[in-house]
Amino acid sequence: MLRQVFFGGIFDKLPQDVYRSWFVYQMRVSQALIIISMVSFIAGSTVLMLRYGSLHGDLMLGGLVLFYVGIMFSQHPGFTRVMPSPFASILIGLLAVTWIITYTLGLWFNWIVGVILVLYYALLLIIRGGLGRKPLYWPNTFFLSGLISLAIAFYMSDFRLLVFPVASIASLMRRVESRQRPIYAVDIPYTVLLPVMTYFLDNPIVLAVFSLFTLVVIGVPRRFGQAFNTIYARAYSIGSSLGRVSLIITAILSLIGVPLGDAIHMFFIGFIAVIMSSLCIPMLNPGILWFSMRHYGIAGFEIPTLLFISAILRAIYYLVSFQLIIISLILVFIAYIEVAVSYLSGERIKVL
């Protein structure tokens, strides 16, 4: 009974009225985290124009962590067959919001809040049986390893925070491309070494290995399934391809001596942002935020393409001039505007 109160219950064993009530808590928390994260992204991009580089980094990384906590928490019942209890939902939400506030303000104890969030989320995943070799559960292994890596990143409080979103992306891409089954020779070393790579990620060689290893784990799909014929997924085929290319480019940049920060930006914008713009934003967010879109961008694929070009410009600006950063930022804002217009083109869906 205590497990159910503090963590949640198997959703097909919960009374319908209990499930409905718990669902409201879970989705409202997920919605709040995603909305706050998107505000953080816009603010982070804006302050860069004002030359607040440090605040820019904190807002972008903080928003990234919050975004994927919200995304993964919204999918928790589907990935684990467990509906989080109201206590679990509220605690996840409070810890996540408290962390991003204390992190952005530079308060020293932000990492303690973050580690508590990680420990509780890991328990939520483990105690109710969200792990195993079954295809439904196997991608959660990446997510759990990402949580462990996130605890390390919280303590070190720098760009290592991006490892958690990457682990979440690996889980999501394997699911959406219908490749959930274990590939033990690849998956187990990746999940075991992910926290180790997180700790040493300030080494360019480790960053290159991390990029290429992630590429191997997400693999190359033979074909896209029926889901990719929907309006929400028009951008995915091009976005997932560009994201994979970005992993290779990141590895090359790391190995040829490009400044680490520029290689990291290639990884952040070229892989993470491109995948976000082609998977999470068009395919997952509408279902989480309860609205439908009539279209996504003009042609559908230009949003991830704009971000990919932005990543290239940001990574090589030092070879040309600082003006490339301005152009890169403009492309990001164009992508933001297209996403906003696409979202506003739809209508709200009444779920409750």
Side-chain angles (χ1 to χ4, degrees):
M1 185 63 180
L2 286 177
R3 285 199 306 169
Q4 184 165 302
V5 171
F6 287 108
F7 297 102
I10 308 302
F11 63 66
D12 55 0
K13 294 182 179 179
L14 292 173
Q16 187 173 2
D17 59 334
V18 172
Y19 178 90
R20 181 183 177 88
S21 174
W22 290 14
F23 169 75
V24 173
Y25 281 95
Q26 180 228 358
M27 291 306 296
R28 291 305 187 193
V29 166
S30 299
Q31 291 169 351
L33 295 183
I34 290 173
I35 291 170
I36 293 171
S37 72
M38 295 177 78
V39 171
S40 184
F41 290 141
I42 295 172
S45 300
T46 302
V47 299
L48 181 61
M49 299 177 65
L50 303 175
R51 301 292 183 92
Y52 293 111
S54 178
L55 181 58
H56 160 74
D58 291 344
L59 288 169
M60 300 304 283
L61 287 169
L64 190 63
V65 171
L66 221 63
F67 184 86
Y68 277 97
V69 171
I71 288 288
M72 299 305 286
F73 190 66
S74 73
Q75 306 299 311
H76 194 87
F79 291 171
T80 66
R81 298 183 61 81
V82 172
M83 172 57 70
S85 65
F87 175 86
S89 296
I90 293 171
L91 186 58
I92 289 287
L94 285 177
L95 288 172
V97 172
T98 301
W99 172 77
I100 194 171
I101 292 173
T102 55
Y103 175 71
T104 304
L105 293 176
L107 302 179
W108 70 268
F109 57 87
N110 75 85
W111 70 271
I112 298 176
V113 178
V115 169
I116 294 173
L117 169 63
V118 164
L119 291 175
Y120 181 75
Y121 206 146
L123 288 174
L124 179 65
L125 187 64
I126 295 169
I127 287 181
R128 297 303 304 185
L131 300 173
R133 292 182 294 175
K134 294 180 180 179
L136 174 65
Y137 300 136
W138 183 252
N140 294 334
T141 307
F142 304 131
F143 181 62
L144 179 60
S145 182
L147 284 172
I148 297 170
S149 302
L150 183 58
I152 296 171
F154 278 146
Y155 180 73
M156 305 189 83
S157 192
D158 60 12
F159 67 89
R160 291 172 175 83
L161 291 169
L162 62 79
V163 175
F164 167 72
V166 173
S168 302
I169 287 171
S171 171
L172 291 169
M173 290 184 72
R174 289 278 289 266
R175 290 181 187 279
V176 79
E177 295 176 5
S178 299
R179 292 180 294 109
Q180 300 100 310
R181 294 187 179 279
I183 308 173
Y184 296 116
V186 173
D187 296 350
I188 292 178
Y190 185 74
T191 55
V192 171
L193 292 175
L194 200 58
V196 178
M197 290 189 289
T198 301
Y199 186 83
F200 293 103
L201 203 60
D202 58 345
N203 184 304
I205 295 176
V206 175
L207 176 60
V209 171
F210 175 52
S211 301
L212 296 177
F213 210 164
T214 299
L215 177 62
V216 172
V217 167
I218 63 176
V220 179
R222 295 178 181 177
R223 60 184 177 84
F224 294 115
Q226 292 298 317
F228 296 94
N229 295 325
T230 66
I231 187 174
Y232 298 109
R234 290 175 179 171
Y236 187 77
S237 58
I238 183 68
S240 63
S241 299
L242 292 176
R244 288 172 164 99
V245 170
S246 294
L247 290 174
I248 298 173
I249 294 175
T250 299
I252 293 172
L253 293 177
S254 301
L255 294 174
I256 65 174
V258 168
L260 184 66
D262 298 323
I264 289 293
H265 272 86
M266 183 69 217
F267 197 109
F268 186 105
I269 306 173
F271 176 67
I272 298 176
V274 164
I275 297 299
M276 285 173 61
S277 71
S278 56
L279 172 57
C280 300
I281 291 177
M283 295 175 64
L284 299 181
N285 276 10
I288 298 168
L289 300 176
W290 299 344
F291 69 93
S292 63
M293 290 189 298
R294 290 191 177 90
H295 60 81
Y296 186 57
I298 298 172
F301 58 81
E302 80 277 1
I303 295 175
T305 302
L306 286 170
L307 292 172
F308 177 76
I309 296 172
S310 172
I312 295 291
L313 295 178
R314 175 58 182 80
I316 64 171
Y317 84 94
Y318 71 98
L319 295 175
V320 183
S321 72
F322 185 80
Q323 292 177 338
L324 287 188
I325 291 185
I326 303 300
I327 299 173
S328 172
L329 189 59
I330 290 172
L331 294 180
V332 169
F333 274 110
I334 292 173
Y336 285 166
I337 293 170
E338 285 214 58
V339 169
V341 170
S342 299
Y343 277 15
L344 294 173
S345 74
E347 58 186 19
R348 182 175 175 78
I349 298 174
K350 187 175 181 180
V351 176
L352 299 171

